């Protein structure tokens, strides 16, 4: 299983986003180490955390009228669809599907963060610089 850990250089300079990303990477690392008996519950909790983080990001985008909101939201929906598909298998006892999804998620997150979330961070910075 591929292991990717949070690195300080991954920070975008938006504390609410950076803290959520760091917590997510820590949770991924924890799940990769879990035995089968605890995996199912922890995997479902991970999905709930990802859903919450994506919703918070999308709320930020709505607040600032982010022009790429639809594209960003679509990427979130795709990864959630994959996680929910894997959850259905895990819920039926096929833990390998969940573990496979976990092995793919860090690289997707790194790419998403370096592209979509970087653009969001830049937009948030511009909004903060604008005079009221």
């Amino acid at each position: 299983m591929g292991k990717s850990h949070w690195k300080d250089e991954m920070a975008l300079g938006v504390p609410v986003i950076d803290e959520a990303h760091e917590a997510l990477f820590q949770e991924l690392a924890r799940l990769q180490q879990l035995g089968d008996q605890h995996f199912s519950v922890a995997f479902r909790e991970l999905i709930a955390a990802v859903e919450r983080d994506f919703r918070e990001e999308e709320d930020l985008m709505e607040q600032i009228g982010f022009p790429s909101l639809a594209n960003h939201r679509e990427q979130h929906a795709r990864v959630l669809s994959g996680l929910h598909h894997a959850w259905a298998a895990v819920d039926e006892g096929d833990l390998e599907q969940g573990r496979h999804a976990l092995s793919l998620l860090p690289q997707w997150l790194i790419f998403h963060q370096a592209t979509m979330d970087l653009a969001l961070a830049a937009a948030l910075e511009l909004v903060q610089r604008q005079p009221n």
Side-chain angles (χ1 to χ4, degrees):
M1 196 174 300
K3 292 184 183 179
S4 294
H5 298 282
W6 175 261
K7 299 171 185 74
D8 288 339
E9 60 267 15
M10 294 165 64
L12 300 172
V14 179
V16 68
I17 294 174
D18 292 336
E19 290 166 8
H21 288 166
E22 184 175 7
L24 188 54
F25 274 91
Q26 288 173 349
E27 186 61 12
L28 286 169
R30 187 182 77 82
L31 260 72
Q32 289 173 343
Q33 303 302 315
L34 281 181
D36 289 351
Q37 66 208 29
H38 301 290
F39 183 80
S40 182
V41 170
F43 187 69
R44 180 64 194 117
E45 290 170 353
L46 172 75
I47 293 171
V50 171
E51 289 170 337
R52 184 179 53 254
D53 290 348
F54 285 178
R55 191 170 39 254
E56 289 171 0
E57 253 184 40
E58 291 167 9
D59 288 347
L60 275 175
M61 289 184 274
E62 288 175 2
Q63 290 171 12
I64 67 169
F66 188 60
S68 296
L69 172 60
N71 291 335
H72 203 132
R73 188 175 273 151
E74 184 264 339
Q75 290 299 311
H76 287 173
R78 284 180 187 256
V79 88
L80 285 173
S81 175
L83 288 172
H84 285 233
H85 180 77
W87 167 247
V90 168
D91 196 39
E92 294 294 320
D94 183 1
L95 302 185
E96 189 53 39
Q97 288 285 334
R99 293 193 184 280
H100 181 66
L102 277 185
S103 74
L104 300 174
L105 191 54
Q107 290 306 311
W108 180 87
L109 287 167
I110 290 168
F111 178 76
H112 180 78
Q113 183 175 325
T115 56
M116 296 270 181
D117 288 346
L118 183 60
L120 173 58
L124 287 167
E125 184 178 333
L126 285 175
V127 167
Q128 289 175 346
R129 289 183 181 182
Q130 291 177 354
N132 294 333

